Each structure stands twice: as structure tokens, then as C-alpha cells.
Amino acid sequence: MVRNLVTKFEEGFLSLLLVSMTLLVFAEVVARFGFNAGIHWAQEVTLLLAAWFVLFGASYGVKVGAHIGVDVFVKMFPHNTHRYITLVAIGLCLVYCGLFLYGSWIYLSKMKMIGIELEDLPIPKWIPMSILVIGFVLLILRFLQLGWKVIKDEAEGFHFADEAEESMEIAKELQETALGSDGIDDDPNKSKQTKQEDK
């Protein structure tokens, strides 16, 4: 129940960010080329929305296995070795995220202490830039969850998105759809039987 609510919140928030970014860019283009008057804060807000989308979406990508990775070599190892390599990789990811989280915290602390505002809006810069800390905290949580699943033998690896396999499945579906729409029957025996019945 709680997991479904969290997933729906994440998907809804990412959709809101994407739609907001798209509408803002569209409004800016219409204002600039249609009325010869731009929205002076649009570019900065669009960049901030894009940053939120990327950093918030990164943890969601780990959750659903949407990141692209090359794991052909790792899959050749036995099950236990594969799990061990996955745990090492998760550990390295945690170290990487930890370093960025530490740097982000220092950066935001200095921004808050200095009191710098955004260039085009009277908002303290550290508020929209807080996605740096939020994003890396969420990434750390996702990697910890994945590591726990690997330890409990509920998962083998990162479950990267396999673009080649997905492309082959799409091509197969398109081929089946094309054959169906042309009226071509895959079973030659069935067509022969139909012809004999017509006679």
C-alpha cells in the first residue's frame, strides 16, 4: 500500500516536472516569436526544472531498472559470483553518491550563508538547488534497497534496460501486425484446407 503510494507520487511528480518544463518552453517560444516579447525568467526556471527531473528521476530509474548498462560480461559468471560483483558495484555507487552528497551539502550551506538569490527571481538560490541533496539521498536509499535485495537473493543485479532486446520485441510485434493486416496466413496447411472446402 505505502509502496504503491510512493511509486504513484514519484511518477506523478516526474510527470508534473516534465509537463511544466514543456509548457514553459512552449509559452516562451510563443511569446518570443508570436508577440516579440519573451519571459525573462523562463530559461532559468526551465534549467532548474530539468535539474529536478534528472536528479529526482535518477533514483526512480534505479528503482524500475530504467538505466542503460552493459552487463553481458558479468552475466557469464556463476550466480554467486554475479551477486558478489553486483554488491561491489553497489558499494562503489554508494561511495560515489556519498561524495556528491557531501559536496552538495557544503555547496548549499555556503549558498545559504552568503544569501545569493536566483538571477531572474527573488528566491534564495539554495532552495531550488536543494535537489542536489535530495537527489543523492534518494539515490543512496535506492542503492541500499537494491543491495538488501541482492543479499536476500531476491535480485541478481541492477536489472538494466536491455535496449537491444526491447528493439527486437518491438520489431517482432510490428512484423506480426504487418502480416496480420496484409491478410497473409502463417499456416500453409490451413490455407490449403480452406481452398479444398471452397471447392
Side-chain angles (χ1 to χ4, degrees):
M1 176 71 177
V2 176
R3 186 176 296 177
N4 290 337
L5 287 173
V6 170
T7 301
K8 286 181 180 179
F9 170 76
E10 288 175 322
E11 291 173 352
F13 188 64
L14 287 170
S15 300
L16 178 65
L17 289 171
L18 187 58
V19 169
S20 301
M21 191 167 42
T22 305
L23 290 176
L24 185 58
V25 171
F26 176 74
E28 168 69 6
V29 170
V30 170
R32 186 177 297 275
F33 294 102
F35 301 97
N36 200 22
I39 306 170
H40 73 281
W41 48 264
Q43 183 177 0
E44 187 174 33
V45 173
T46 302
L47 290 173
L48 290 170
L49 288 171
W52 274 78
F53 182 77
V54 169
L55 290 169
F56 191 88
S59 63
Y60 182 76
V62 172
K63 177 182 178 179
V64 299
H67 290 287
I68 298 170
V70 180
D71 56 355
V72 176
F73 179 70
V74 177
K75 285 183 177 178
M76 294 170 59
F77 289 103
H79 176 70
N80 289 333
T81 308
H82 187 189
R83 286 178 62 214
Y84 175 75
I85 293 172
T86 301
L87 288 172
V88 171
I90 290 171
L92 292 173
C93 290
L94 288 171
V95 171
Y96 176 84
C97 290
L99 291 172
F100 268 92
L101 179 61
Y102 177 71
S104 301
W105 183 261
I106 292 173
Y107 174 75
L108 285 180
S109 300
K110 288 184 178 179
M111 287 294 106
K112 187 176 180 182
M113 182 179 64
I114 296 170
I116 296 175
E117 293 184 345
L118 295 175
E119 291 181 12
D120 298 325
L121 292 171
I123 298 172
K125 194 171 184 178
W126 69 270
I127 294 176
M129 297 300 285
S130 62
I131 187 56
L132 290 168
V133 171
I134 295 169
F136 284 108
V137 166
L138 289 173
L139 265 175
I140 288 171
L141 289 174
R142 293 300 182 201
F143 284 129
L144 288 173
Q145 287 175 344
L146 179 61
W148 182 245
K149 283 183 180 178
V150 172
I151 289 169
K152 288 167 57 178
D153 207 11
E154 293 178 2
E156 272 193 19
F158 284 85
H159 300 292
F160 290 123
D162 193 338
E163 285 192 330
E165 186 178 343
E166 290 174 3
S167 299
M168 293 304 294
E169 287 177 4
I170 292 170
K172 187 177 179 182
E173 289 174 7
L174 290 173
Q175 186 178 18
E176 290 173 358
T177 305
L179 289 174
S181 63
D182 292 341
I184 300 172
D185 201 334
D186 293 337
D187 191 354
N189 296 327
K190 187 176 178 183
S191 59
K192 286 179 183 177
Q193 184 180 359
T194 306
K195 287 178 182 177
Q196 289 175 356
E197 287 175 358
D198 291 340
K199 290 179 181 178

